[in-house]
Amino acid sequence: MTSPARLTLAATVAAIAAAVAIGCSGGAAPVSCPTGQTACGGICFDLQTNPRSCGTCLNRCAAGASCVAGTCACPAGQATCGSPPGTCATLASDPLNCKACGVACGVGTCGALGCECDVGATACAAPGPLCVAASSDPANCGACRNVCPTGASCAAGACQCPTAAPDTCGTAPGACVDRQTDERHCGACGHACPTGATCTAGVCGCPGTQVACGVAPGTPGACADLQTDVANCGACGTRCATGATCTAGSCACPPGETGCGATATTPGVCTDLTTDAAHCGACSHACGGTLACAQGTCCTAGQRICTVGNGTACCSGSGCCVGGCQTSHANGLGQNYYDCGTLGTWTQATARLAAAAWAPTGGTDTLQFFSGDCLSRQTASACATWCYTGNFAGRVELNGLSAACFSPTSASPTWQ
């Protein structure tokens, strides 16, 4: 028979297991607080009495204060000083809040009449501590609010810079520096060395053979190598064109390119005069509209750029051939057509191209095939015949008697 004590222990274990299961369930069940409490961040608080949530959730009272009827209150004789959460201070004796919040005594105590300075301390007016050690305080050295330069100490009421930085530079209180080695104050306060230079014995010096460029009132400039610096090539301020390099003090564009567009304030840019439509053949010689540039020549409307050898060329026709432009052929009737064939190579395809280039008038033309490897196009008033074997080409027959074209009966001019 199980004893009551064992039953109580079993029930406790079961309750703990159930609580752990709920905590690990992955679901966040709503917090149910007892009557008179409110859930704040998943924790129940009595907003009338809890100093961590007083009056409203997470409204924390000052350190030492209590929450009474939903309002933070310091103990009798204390006041709330500071901003959240602040602290409760006894104004009658607190050296940090003497007679009023924020009034610090410093080197002294808070007595009946206010701050009472220690022996040897100096009385100062607000703001700041009302009692200071003027003989050693770098914020009140020798006198109230006399601040020593950054890096200095106060001894016997006088500011003293360290041996490593014996000089003072900058707007008061300034800072301790060494004008013999400080690149910001080399030889004199405010005299900055050029970027990349060092200060030795109070004199700025660029490394190696570099020189200082861009030095002007208020601008220290920078050290530059006139032999390789594209912004200062050969002389300070001589800037190379975009894309160029500086070698031995001279600017040079890449092989095949020329510097264009240089002005008194603009260095210009390196460009290929054989392909740049803005500088085609010569700087500032621009191809108009959408025309392109090939081998330094502006292509005309309708032309295309094709690769020819190691360069490019403006080509007429409908496309480019391997290694060059299309060949121009006469169709025997005053028009030209283009293809990649050679002169004298006649095929049905070339005959079609020759026929397509014909520009007759007098109505819609039709294409007809004849025996003997010939074809023709005709209109209401004329027709033309091309044969792709033999020597017939570009023969025009007036068609006043019949709607059909006649095959050529004699040799016609050779078409190409």
Side-chain angles (χ1 to χ4, degrees):
M1 180 176 180
T2 305
S3 66
R6 293 180 64 83
L7 284 174
T8 300
L9 178 60
T12 301
V13 171
I16 293 174
V20 171
I22 293 174
C24 299
S25 64
V31 175
S32 178
C33 294
T35 302
Q37 294 189 10
T38 302
C40 297
I43 301 176
C44 295
F45 291 99
D46 184 343
L47 302 184
Q48 299 298 302
T49 61
N50 198 305
R52 291 187 295 167
S53 291
C54 186
T56 59
C57 281
L58 306 181
N59 178 43
R60 185 182 294 272
C61 294
S66 58
C67 181
V68 180
T71 302
C72 294
C74 286
Q78 294 187 354
T80 301
C81 292
S83 182
T87 186
C88 291
T90 303
L91 301 184
S93 60
D94 190 343
L96 298 178
N97 301 279
C98 187
K99 301 300 184 284
C101 289
V103 177
C105 291
V107 187
T109 58
C110 184
L113 300 179
C115 289
E116 299 175 357
C117 295
D118 294 348
V119 176
T122 301
C124 296
L130 301 187
C131 301
V132 299
S135 62
S136 60
D137 187 351
N140 301 274
C141 189
C144 294
R145 316 309 179 219
N146 181 47
V147 181
C148 289
T150 302
S153 59
C154 180
C159 295
Q160 297 179 353
C161 284
T163 303
D167 309 308
T168 302
C169 286
T171 304
C176 294
V177 300
D178 184 357
R179 290 196 290 262
Q180 299 298 299
T181 59
D182 193 326
E183 281 85 18
R184 299 166 301 169
H185 308 279
C186 188
C189 289
H191 181 251
C193 292
T195 302
T198 57
C199 180
T200 305
V203 177
C204 295
C206 288
T209 59
Q210 294 186 19
V211 298
C213 289
V215 179
T219 304
C223 294
D225 186 343
L226 303 184
Q227 299 298 298
T228 60
D229 191 339
V230 293
N232 303 279
C233 189
C236 288
T238 299
R239 183 179 294 274
C240 295
T242 302
T245 57
C246 179
T247 304
S250 296
C251 295
C253 286
E257 295 188 5
T258 303
C260 289
T263 66
T265 58
T266 304
V269 62
C270 292
T271 187
D272 187 345
L273 299 182
T274 64
T275 59
D276 189 345
H279 305 282
C280 189
C283 288
S284 300
H285 178 250
C287 298
T290 60
L291 300 183
C293 178
Q295 292 298 319
T297 301
C298 293
C299 299
T300 60
Q303 289 186 318
R304 67 200 68 250
I305 296 178
C306 297
T307 300
V308 179
N310 294 326
T312 57
C314 299
C315 298
S316 299
S318 60
C320 297
C321 301
V322 175
C325 301
Q326 289 183 327
T327 305
S328 175
H329 305 276
N331 71 349
L333 298 177
Q335 294 87 31
N336 292 331
Y337 69 91
Y338 298 87
D339 68 5
C340 291
T342 59
L343 297 179
T345 302
W346 308 330
T347 64
Q348 185 183 103
T350 55
R352 284 178 176 273
L353 292 173
W358 184 45
T361 58
T364 303
D365 59 312
T366 60
L367 182 67
Q368 298 182 6
F369 286 92
F370 286 86
S371 60
D373 297 329
C374 295
L375 57 83
S376 67
R377 287 179 61 189
Q378 72 178 67
T379 68
S381 60
C383 71
T385 303
W386 291 267
C387 296
Y388 46 93
T389 59
N391 294 319
F392 299 110
R395 172 133 182 151
V396 177
E397 298 284 351
L398 294 178
N399 192 11
L401 300 177
S402 170
C405 284
F406 294 99
S407 297
T409 57
S410 63
S412 299
T414 301
W415 56 279
Q416 303 174 25

